[in-house]
Structure formats: C-alpha cells, structure tokens
Amino acid sequence: DGGITQSPKYLFRKEGQNVTLSCEQNLNHDAMYWYRQDPGQGLRLIYYSQIVNDFQKGDIAEGYSVSREKKESFPLTVTSAQKNPTAFYLCASSARIGGYEQYFGPGTRLTVT
Amino acid sequence: GESVGLHLPTLSVQEGDNSIINCAYSNSASDYFIWYKQESGKGPQFIIDIRSNMDKRQGQRVTVLLNKTVKHLSLQIAATQPGDSAVYFCAETSYDTGNQFYFGTGTSLTVIP
C-alpha cells in the first residue's frame, strides 16, 4: 500500500526545544516537500528536495532545517529559532520537481507552549 | 510572490446540486494547475489537474475549466454529496518560478442534506 506517512499526528513541545517531524514515502518519488498551514492561509513552502542529499529553501525556511539522506525520508526539524512554530505541517512528494502531481501526507499538528 | 486566490471563502449547496468553486491566479506563465480537497485535520487530497495547453478536463463527477485569457480556474462538482463537504484549494506552478507550487487560501464547501 503506497503513500506518505507522517508521524506523530499530534506533537506538543515546550518553547526553546527543537523538534523533528518525520516524513516517509514509498512511492519512489524523487522530490519531497515540507509545507506549513496556518488558519485562513494557503500552504507555504518551507523546504523541498529534488534528489537525495540535496535540498532548497522555500519561502519560509527560517527557523527550520531538513535532511535528505535517503530517497524515502525527508525529516523536518523545527528549531527554537522559529518564532511561531505552532502550526499544521504537511509533507508531500512528487515523481519529479515541477509539473507533477504532489501527494500529501496526513500532516502533523505541532503545538509549542 | 505569486497570487492565487479564491473568489468566495465559503459555499453552501443542497445535496444533489452542482457546485462551482473558482480560483484566480496572477502568473500568466503558470502551466500546471491542481485542485485539492482537504477535510478537517487531514492532508490535501488530489482531485484533478490540468495543464495550460488544455481548457477543460473531466474526472469522475468533477470538471476543471481553465481560462488563460482572464487567468481563472474553476472546479465543478456534479451532483454534490455530503461527503464532498471540505475545503478546496487550487494550486499552480510554472517554470519561471522554479516549479514551486503556490496555493490558494481555500473555499469551504458545505453540502446541505
């Protein structure tokens, strides 16, 4: 059963702590993405990766970091430098970058207090 | 940045009626468009896509229309069902923006039984 998994579904952290969100895909896709969703706003791109060991900043990369050591995995770390980390985080993948359908995971809701 | 917007933030329709959700975009070079459906607390689900060399594309109970002259995209849902209640997003991408997707803020569709 192919798809994208994100874990955990809900995550709670204290301010000042780093936290890592997991994203795994078994679709054999080259490209993976991290988006942030806030109420009343469209999805905003945090980071994306076109291929293993390569990733690029999106529009709102400050306070976040990623790695792409394996094709199927693209974890996102929300660092203490991110001023407003509470949000719904969505991971996506596509066969290639650009005009290809993006498949989304179920999301992780992060709450930082 | 790109501007992808929706004309109406909310839409209520009677079960069995047809629904039309609209989206405006600003980049005349946009060449690939997707409509997504997102239920509360879940990741976006692909509905249908269209490339800029087409004006219309049909799926199961859904039709997407693209008017490049006025940079307008619409999603038509035939015989709307209660299970269609969700938020619907449009997304667009183009080569000249680095193939990054830009998402609209969404229209909330409510189907009245």
Side-chain angles (χ1 to χ4, degrees):
Chain A
D1 189 24
I4 302 177
T5 57
Q6 291 184 244
S7 61
K9 187 171 177 62
Y10 299 97
L11 193 53
F12 298 88
R13 280 294 182 270
K14 294 290 187 185
E15 197 172 311
Q17 294 179 333
N18 292 353
V19 60
T20 298
L21 282 59
S22 168
C23 178
E24 303 278 332
Q25 55 99 359
N26 61 3
L27 301 168
N28 200 33
H29 285 169
D30 284 335
M32 296 187 73
Y33 313 79
W34 274 105
Y35 293 93
R36 170 182 171 138
Q37 186 173 39
D38 295 285
Q41 297 190 37
L43 303 183
R44 292 183 291 168
L45 182 65
I46 303 172
Y47 268 99
Y48 66 98
S49 169
Q50 299 188 55
I51 199 167
V52 174
N53 293 322
D54 179 73
F55 47 83
Q56 307 294 330
K57 292 181 179 180
D59 294 332
I60 56 166
E62 185 176 349
Y64 300 97
S65 65
V66 293
S67 63
R68 187 85 186 278
E69 297 177 2
K70 298 186 296 182
K71 186 175 185 177
E72 57 271 21
S73 179
F74 191 40
L76 173 74
T77 296
V78 184
T79 75
S80 56
Q82 168 51 231
K83 298 193 184 333
N84 297 295
T86 295
F88 189 48
Y89 290 88
L90 288 160
C91 179
S93 73
S94 62
R96 302 280 187 277
I97 199 82
Y100 295 86
E101 179 185 340
Q102 287 193 8
Y103 295 84
F104 283 86
T108 292
R109 185 165 297 282
L110 172 64
T111 302
V112 177
T113 58
Chain B
E2 296 299 304
S3 172
V4 181
L6 294 167
H7 294 308
L8 297 172
T10 61
L11 177 65
S12 295
V13 299
Q14 287 292 140
E15 181 178 357
D17 287 351
N18 296 336
S19 303
I20 300 176
I21 300 171
N22 297 302
C23 179
Y25 63 96
S26 59
N27 184 4
S28 57
S30 294
D31 53 17
Y32 180 58
F33 305 83
I34 299 178
W35 278 103
Y36 286 97
K37 171 186 180 182
Q38 186 176 25
E39 297 176 11
S40 182
K42 297 184 179 180
Q45 176 188 350
F46 172 91
I47 301 173
I48 192 167
D49 60 357
I50 189 168
R51 298 195 182 275
S52 58
N53 60 352
M54 303 174 68
D55 297 323
K56 178 180 180 179
R57 191 156 189 237
Q58 289 184 293
Q60 187 176 8
R61 283 201 306 119
V62 294
T63 301
V64 55
L65 299 177
L66 175 62
N67 185 330
K68 296 180 287 294
T69 302
V70 296
K71 297 195 283 292
H72 183 269
L73 190 71
S74 69
L75 176 70
Q76 300 178 2
I77 304 173
T80 313
Q81 302 169 359
D84 294 328
S85 293
V87 174
Y88 291 82
F89 298 96
C90 63
E92 56 89 14
T93 187
S94 62
Y95 179 79
D96 68 349
T97 59
N99 291 315
Q100 179 176 327
F101 273 94
Y102 290 90
F103 294 81
T105 53
T107 291
S108 177
L109 174 66
T110 300
V111 181
I112 304 166

